[in-house]
């Protein structure tokens, strides 16, 4: 065995026999991969010397998956994501009103995978305009949903105060600006444009839940997407569109064409999607008002209210739930994946070139509605959207193996290098992730390409199967298929980090 590839020293750990995929160089072949400390130190076609050698023949070794869109920022949520192959889970769509506080809380609690937050436009509005108390992002979002001022247009002075606060949170480590404008659609285009201009000044991206979800004029999904494109074209800002599968609804073809033409002219718009024809949010969301559901092409019985597990019976029950528990979690089915036309519609959003796979993972809900944050194993009768536990397993099980619409290397590319490159300008340290190369961070997943698959569904919470090993910063979070439930291997990701 050779130690030459590691400066003459044996590696701490050598993985041997795996099909190694490096999405940046295009490597796809059997290699030995050596890890020392938190770094990949050797990738070799000949045997490497290691203090410990692990035979992973028949497995795939790839960079750990980078999730741009995870609201499941708790030990329970991130342990489930680790079982799904995730090594970095970032809260970028909603973000945090205080990034430093969110990072400190996560560090104190301990995280099994890497974590980070954007500066939140919406939560900052809640705090500044409604005096909402500072809390963790999902608690703050859900518990203040019935306050009035954060949804309303703001004056010039208040907009300046808001933008200054958000800019300060980027300076405090916020990875871009999270813009949940779809939950406050009346706030106006001028403020959104001013926010994009500030993002360009800061050299940081925005992550937008677009303003409308509708196929009916006015205020269509297309109009909402065009607003994002126009903001980027008009300011030069990097504008990222979250979950284009769900917010595009049934207008993905028009939206995809607009994005492609904009990108071809140099407009900095990027996209993400997850492989489900359903979404999840709070039942008090503006777009779930009973009178607005027809604009999405759904009826109340396409909603499941998670605190009770019930299918919403009718508009009257929906109105009651929205009045009594506006922050209660719900799942909305907007497309039926068992129908060929709906499935093809969903696939067109997923297969748009260089669309990142991002889960939009949400916290688990116990009976009655309390979030499940620290429990393991997952308590019986907990509910969540299955994207929270199986987004990546479904990508490889359904899109790669079953449908064959993505090759395995392309799926790895969309789960790793695409999201890393979306972040690299604002977070230079991301250039060391999403690669299997000497000098890259040892954030790695080893999975069985024959069995990696989601196991949960809309009624059962279960981790994905098939991940054999998962390393975060060189530390085993999963070893031989066994999850280290006490792991605190995750480290913060911050803007400007090198």
């Amino acid at each position: 065995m050779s130690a030459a590839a590691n400066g003459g020293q044996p590696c701490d750990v050598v993985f041997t026999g795996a099909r190694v995929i490096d999405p940046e160089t295009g490597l796809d072949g059997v290699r030995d991969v050596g890890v020392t400390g938190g770094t990949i130190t050797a990738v070799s076609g000949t045997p490497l010397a290691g203090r410990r050698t692990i035979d992973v023949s028949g497995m795939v070794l790839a960079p750990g998956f980078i999730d741009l869109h995870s609201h499941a920022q708790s030990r329970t949520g991130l342990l489930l994501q680790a079982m799904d192959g995730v090594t970095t889970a970032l809260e970028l769509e909603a973000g945090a009103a205080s990034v430093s506080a969110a990072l400190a809380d996560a560090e104190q609690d301990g995280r099994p995978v890497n974590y980070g937050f954007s500066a939140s436009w919406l939560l900052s509005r809640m705090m500044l305009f409604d005096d909402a108390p500072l809390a963790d992002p999902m608690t703050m979002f859900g518990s203040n949903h019935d306050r009035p001022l954060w949804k309303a247009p703001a004056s010039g002075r208040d907009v300046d105060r808001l933008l200054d606060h958000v800019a300060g949170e980027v300076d405090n480590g916020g990875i871009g600006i999270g813009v949940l404008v779809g939950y406050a659609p009346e706030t106006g285009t001028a403020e959104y444009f001013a926010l994009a201009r500030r993002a360009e000044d800061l050299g940081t991206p925005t992550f937008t839940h677009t303003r409308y979800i509708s196929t009916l004029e006015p205020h269509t999904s297309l109009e909402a997407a065009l607003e994002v494109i126009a903001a980027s074209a008009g300011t030069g800002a990097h504008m990222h569109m979250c979950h284009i599968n769900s917010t595009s609804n049934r207008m993905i073809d028009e939206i995809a064409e607009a994005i492609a033409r904009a990108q071809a002219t140099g407009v900095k718009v990027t996209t993400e999607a997850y492989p489900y024809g359903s979404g999840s949010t709070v039942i008090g969301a503006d777009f779930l008002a009973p009178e607005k559901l027809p604009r999405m092409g759904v009826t109340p019985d396409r909603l499941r209210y998670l605190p009770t597990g019930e299918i919403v019976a009718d508009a009257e029950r929906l109105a009651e739930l929205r009045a009594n528990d506006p922050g209660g979690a719900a799942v909305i089915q907007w497309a039926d994946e068992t129908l060929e036309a709906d499935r093809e519609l969903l696939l067109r959003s997923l297969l748009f070139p260089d669309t990142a796979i991002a889960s939009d993972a949400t916290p688990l809900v116990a009976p009655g509605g309390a979030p499940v944050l620290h429990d393991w194993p997952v308590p019986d009768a907990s509910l969540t959207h299955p994207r929270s536990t199986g987004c990546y397993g479904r990508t490889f099980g359904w899109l790669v193996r079953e449908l064959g619409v993505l090759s395995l290397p392309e799926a790895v590319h969309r789960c790793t290098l695409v999201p890393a490159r979306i972040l690299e300008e604002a977070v230079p340290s991301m250039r060391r992730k999403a690669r299997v190369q000497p000098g890259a961070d040892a954030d790695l997943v080893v999975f069985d390409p024959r069995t990696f698959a989601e196991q949960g569904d809309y009624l059962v919470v279960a981790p994905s199967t098939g991940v054999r090993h998962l390393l975060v910063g060189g530390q085993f979070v999963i070893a031989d298929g066994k999850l280290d439930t006490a792991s605190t291997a995750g480290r913060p990701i911050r803007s400007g980090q090198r």
Side-chain angles (χ1 to χ4, degrees):
M1 291 188 178
S2 171
N6 191 33
Q9 299 297 317
C11 303
D12 289 346
V13 178
V14 171
F15 293 96
T16 186
R19 175 185 175 184
V20 175
I21 296 178
D22 176 47
E24 184 172 62
T25 63
L27 170 64
D28 181 0
V30 176
R31 298 288 189 277
D32 275 17
V33 175
V35 172
T36 302
T39 304
I40 299 169
T41 46
V43 179
S44 175
T46 58
L48 291 171
R51 296 180 178 88
R52 177 186 178 191
T53 298
I54 302 174
D55 187 348
V56 286
S57 299
M59 302 290 165
V60 170
L61 186 151
F65 306 145
I66 298 170
D67 191 352
L68 298 174
H69 193 154
S70 174
H71 305 301
Q73 296 292 322
S74 66
R75 288 202 58 79
T76 303
L78 296 183
L79 286 170
L80 284 164
Q81 288 212 269
M83 294 291 284
D84 204 27
V86 173
T87 53
T88 298
L90 305 173
E91 166 60 280
L92 302 184
E93 182 208 38
S98 171
V99 171
S100 56
L103 290 172
D105 288 348
E107 184 175 11
Q108 182 177 11
D109 200 32
R111 294 290 183 259
V113 305
N114 302 319
Y115 53 92
F117 302 85
S118 69
S120 177
W121 168 83
L122 183 141
L123 299 183
S124 296
R125 268 181 149 263
M126 287 182 169
M127 183 174 69
L128 295 176
F129 302 162
D130 280 299
D131 295 321
L134 189 65
D136 72 85
M138 286 297 96
T139 297
M140 197 169 175
F141 178 67
S143 62
N144 296 291
H145 219 74
D146 56 351
R147 297 189 183 221
L149 299 180
W150 64 270
K151 304 175 186 179
S155 68
R157 181 174 298 178
D158 280 339
V159 170
D160 290 342
R161 183 164 63 110
L162 173 64
L163 297 188
D164 288 345
H165 175 82
V166 169
E169 292 309 312
V170 172
D171 289 341
N172 288 337
I175 304 169
I177 302 170
V179 195
L180 287 169
V181 72
Y183 293 86
E186 303 303 319
T187 51
T189 299
E191 182 178 324
Y192 187 77
F193 189 80
L195 186 71
R197 189 166 53 234
R198 184 64 68 94
E200 170 60 11
D201 291 343
L202 295 168
T204 201
T206 69
F207 301 88
T208 298
H209 177 123
T210 51
R211 196 177 295 270
Y212 308 119
I213 306 176
S214 173
T215 58
L216 302 177
E217 296 284 1
H219 305 326
T220 65
S221 294
L222 176 60
E223 180 181 335
L226 293 176
E227 178 184 36
V228 180
I229 296 168
S232 180
T235 66
H238 175 180
M239 310 295 287
H240 179 80
M241 294 174 60
C242 298
H243 44 46
I244 63 167
N245 55 307
S246 58
T247 48
S248 295
N249 197 260
R250 298 181 181 276
M251 302 189 80
I252 184 59
D253 296 322
E254 298 94 327
I255 290 169
E257 180 181 3
I259 294 171
R261 288 181 178 274
Q263 289 175 336
T265 64
V267 176
K268 292 190 287 187
V269 177
T270 52
T271 55
E272 66 175 60
Y274 55 84
Y276 297 87
S278 59
S280 184
T281 187
V282 294
I283 202 158
D286 177 85
F287 49 86
L288 294 186
E291 68 274 13
K292 292 187 177 182
L293 286 186
R295 301 183 63 83
M296 296 175 60
V298 302
T299 50
D301 61 358
R302 302 285 286 274
L303 278 67
R304 183 184 296 277
Y305 175 62
L306 297 190
T308 63
E310 70 185 90
I311 299 295
V312 178
D314 50 33
E316 183 179 5
R317 178 57 174 160
L318 177 57
E320 179 184 5
L321 292 170
R322 285 168 59 83
N324 294 337
D325 184 22
V331 170
I332 313 98
Q333 185 186 42
W334 62 271
D336 185 346
E337 298 143 33
T338 66
L339 301 177
E340 183 177 0
D342 280 12
R343 184 171 61 251
E344 291 301 316
L345 181 78
L346 173 62
L347 291 177
R348 289 198 293 278
S349 65
L350 291 164
L351 301 178
F352 183 73
D354 283 335
T355 291
I357 299 296
S359 73
D360 198 1
T362 50
L364 276 65
V365 175
V372 178
L373 301 177
H374 297 92
D375 300 80
W376 196 270
V378 174
D380 292 340
S382 301
L383 292 175
T384 189
H385 192 295
R387 68 193 185 190
S388 310
T389 64
C391 171
Y392 297 91
R394 182 170 174 82
T395 296
F396 286 86
W398 187 47
L399 299 181
V400 174
R401 284 201 309 276
E402 183 178 339
L403 299 182
V405 295
L406 286 179
S407 69
L408 195 148
E410 177 61 16
V412 169
H413 175 73
R414 289 171 181 255
C415 296
T416 59
L417 191 62
V418 171
R421 284 182 167 161
I422 286 168
L423 301 178
E424 285 173 6
E425 185 175 350
V427 188
S429 64
M430 295 304 295
R431 297 189 178 103
R432 296 195 304 273
K433 299 190 184 296
R435 283 92 170 164
V436 184
Q437 301 169 23
D441 291 346
D443 293 349
L444 297 170
V445 61
V446 179
F447 63 89
D448 188 332
R450 299 157 296 188
T451 63
F452 185 26
E454 68 166 345
Q455 297 300 314
D457 58 28
Y458 294 96
L459 297 176
V460 176
V461 175
S464 291
T465 55
V467 172
R468 189 68 181 164
H469 302 281
L470 189 88
L471 277 72
V472 177
Q475 298 182 51
F476 281 88
V477 178
I478 300 173
D480 293 321
K482 184 177 180 180
L483 175 68
D484 178 4
T485 59
S487 175
T488 57
R491 294 294 177 264
I493 308 294
R494 297 181 172 90
S495 62
Q497 188 179 66
R498 295 187 178 276

